Amino acid sequence: LTSQIFQNTGTLHPGPRSDYNGFDVGAYTGPTYSLSGDSVQFGNLAVQVRDWRIRQINSDHLSVTHENGNVSRIYRSDGTLHGRVNSFSGYAAPLGEPKCAYLAKSYLQIGDWRIGALGIYHLAVSHRDGKTSAVYRGTDGTIHPGPRTDWNAWTIPEELVIMGSKEGCETSSLLA
């Protein structure tokens, strides 16, 4: 089930939904499919999936932005959710060279943020400081917003990099 749809208008459409699921790999469609093979790119505290960019704007904010500049979701380090504040656009700066943005087996790390699989049914968006902003549950397509300290993606042990770069992740706070 789909827990949340992010639209290029900056609007959100919560689940549960059975349409717009990105896991129909056999259909050769979905968010990561591309004939050119460049549908996922890593940059400076950012990952771009086709025309969407997830970027750490500063040490307190992670933004989900469409290439047209509309921001659909802002995750804040205090565990709260915000949206439609286009001044937090992930496209305000070029993608840049990969720096502390990488995919591992169980999580995607972007700077001080992890989007991680906790078990087989939960996906958490968590800040390094210990707060989780949202938990997306796959069994029923529901969203469980923060602030919360349980279901934290930073409890997942460090893993090998599959794509992207771990370079620059050593600093405790990557952006002031």
Side-chain angles (χ1 to χ4, degrees), residues 2-157:
T2 299
S3 296
Q4 182 85 68
I5 296 172
F6 298 85
Q7 282 203 321
N8 65 3
T9 58
T11 58
L12 299 168
H13 302 277
R17 300 178 68 118
S18 58
D19 57 347
Y20 295 99
N21 189 310
F23 288 99
D24 188 2
V25 180
Y28 298 103
T29 62
T32 59
Y33 179 73
S34 170
L35 290 173
S36 64
D38 62 353
S39 57
V40 178
Q41 299 174 28
F42 288 85
N44 184 7
L45 303 174
V47 63
Q48 186 167 315
V49 180
R50 291 181 41 181
D51 47 0
W52 289 90
R53 191 174 287 175
I54 305 171
R55 171 172 257 151
Q56 177 171 302
I57 303 302
N58 55 43
S59 61
D60 292 325
H61 298 92
L62 182 74
S63 170
V64 178
T65 310
H66 188 266
E67 69 181 350
N68 66 14
N70 286 329
V71 175
S72 286
R73 173 60 74 211
I74 299 166
Y75 301 94
R76 206 162 75 183
S77 63
D78 66 359
T80 57
L81 297 169
H82 305 271
R84 303 216 51 187
V85 181
N86 289 349
S87 61
F88 284 84
S89 173
Y91 282 88
L95 187 60
E97 292 299 314
K99 176 185 172 189
C100 196
Y102 66 94
L103 178 66
K105 180 181 175 188
S106 303
Y107 61 87
L108 170 67
Q109 183 169 328
I110 301 169
D112 294 320
W113 293 88
R114 276 198 184 162
I115 302 170
L118 295 167
I120 59 174
Y121 298 118
H122 296 85
L123 183 76
V125 181
S126 306
H127 190 269
R128 179 187 303 267
D129 288 344
K131 297 285 185 175
T132 295
S133 294
V135 177
Y136 300 92
R137 191 163 63 192
T139 53
D140 60 5
T142 56
I143 304 166
H144 303 270
R148 55 193 308 149
T149 55
D150 60 344
W151 297 101
N152 191 301
W154 285 91
T155 62
I156 302 169

